[in-house]
Amino acid sequence: ANRHILNNPPSKYFPEEIIPARGTEALTSQLVPLEPKLWQLENYRDFLDYRRKAIVKAINSFMDVLE
């Protein structure tokens, strides 16, 4: 799969390859946003900000379960 999408940006391979083949769960399970504007290379910093917050939220939720 990686060789097939090698030279394409996420804004192309997420909606054309990943989502049709594996559904949105393939992205959400990895805490990747479902907002297409965040898949564009010029919005990479916003993508990182979203994902950073999602990771923190997931870690905190996990830690709450351990208490």
Side-chain angles (χ1 to χ4, degrees):
N2 287 345
R3 287 180 187 220
H4 184 69
I5 62 174
L6 185 64
N7 291 321
N8 293 313
S11 60
K12 182 167 175 59
Y13 68 78
F14 283 166
E16 293 179 12
E17 302 288 335
I18 303 299
I19 294 173
R22 294 184 263 167
T24 58
E25 174 66 16
L27 300 180
T28 58
S29 68
Q30 299 297 314
L31 305 172
V32 173
L34 295 178
E35 297 175 51
K37 77 172 195 168
L38 294 178
W39 303 339
Q40 297 172 2
L41 295 179
E42 63 268 16
N43 295 324
Y44 183 61
R45 295 245 184 231
D46 294 331
F47 170 89
L48 291 178
D49 185 53
Y50 174 96
R51 192 139 189 262
R52 184 179 310 111
K53 289 174 183 175
I55 291 169
V56 167
K57 185 177 178 180
I59 290 170
N60 286 336
S61 293
F62 178 74
M63 296 300 287
D64 288 343
V65 171
L66 296 178
E67 290 182 356

